[in-house]
Amino acid sequence: MMKASLPSDPGLRAAFEEALAGYREGGLPIGAALVHRGEVIARGRNRRVQDGNPILHAEMTCFQNAGRLSSVVYREATLYSTLSPCYMCGGASLLFGVPHFVVGESRTIRAADDWLRSRGTRVTIADDPACYELLQRFIAEQPGLWAEDIGEAGVHGRYTHAHPGA
């Protein structure tokens, strides 16, 4: 049972519901939602474990579930994720031109937040207690699976990348 209240923001709530569904399926509890003009138009959750596919992060399945959208829709959308996005997912949001990224929590790991900001994306950290609580529960229950998913960043709490010449 969750101690924290569910997120009140509809986009973050949809992302959290996806994260909770992933947790119940035995996967990583990370969810995402794409919102356009106040309406949730797509949702997704991390499906790496369920589908055995290493690129099926929550944001990627959300984009996949959105299907083909006009570039105008992406430029007016907000992407929600229960956890700070990795560089792959952040890169996808840049590719599609999503201008705003809402992060449920970045206490567990802060990944591409600053990188996205440096490229003009508005990043809002919600610091949502329910997002944090669910992921911490999962990490306590499945530390090996968490380490497999997040790699070295899960040990040190932050991705560190050096790109010579960048």
Side-chain angles (χ1 to χ4, degrees), residues 7 11-12 18 21 30 48 55 68 73 75 80 97 100 103 110 115 125-126 129 146 150-151 154 165:
L12 192 54
E18 289 294 316
I30 303 168
R48 288 185 67 254
I55 65 168
R68 295 176 60 196
V73 173
R75 287 194 307 264
Y80 288 79
H100 187 202
V103 175
R110 193 173 85 219
W115 179 70
I125 308 297
W146 171 249
I150 209 69

Side-chain angles (χ1 to χ4, degrees), residues 124-140:
T124 303
I125 308 297
D127 195 25
D128 183 80
C131 294
Y132 181 74
E133 180 183 331
L134 181 60
L135 190 55
Q136 292 305 304
R137 177 191 301 173
F138 173 80
I139 292 168

Side-chain angles (χ1 to χ4, degrees), residues 1-2 16-29 45 50 134 137:
M1 189 55 126
M2 298 287 298
F16 180 81
E17 289 169 354
E18 289 294 316
L20 191 56
Y23 174 82
R24 290 178 176 150
E25 293 169 352
L28 286 104
R45 60 183 164 271
Q50 297 92 316
L134 181 60
R137 177 191 301 173

Side-chain angles (χ1 to χ4, degrees), residues 64-85:
Q64 181 178 7
N65 292 338
R68 295 176 60 196
L69 298 174
S70 158
S71 62
V72 172
V73 173
Y74 287 118
R75 287 194 307 264
E76 295 177 346
T78 298
L79 183 60
Y80 288 79
S81 181
T82 57
L83 182 65
S84 179

Side-chain angles (χ1 to χ4, degrees), residues 36-48:
H36 180 250
R37 296 183 180 174
E39 179 185 345
V40 175
I41 60 172
R43 301 159 63 120
R45 60 183 164 271
N46 186 303
R47 297 200 51 85
R48 288 185 67 254

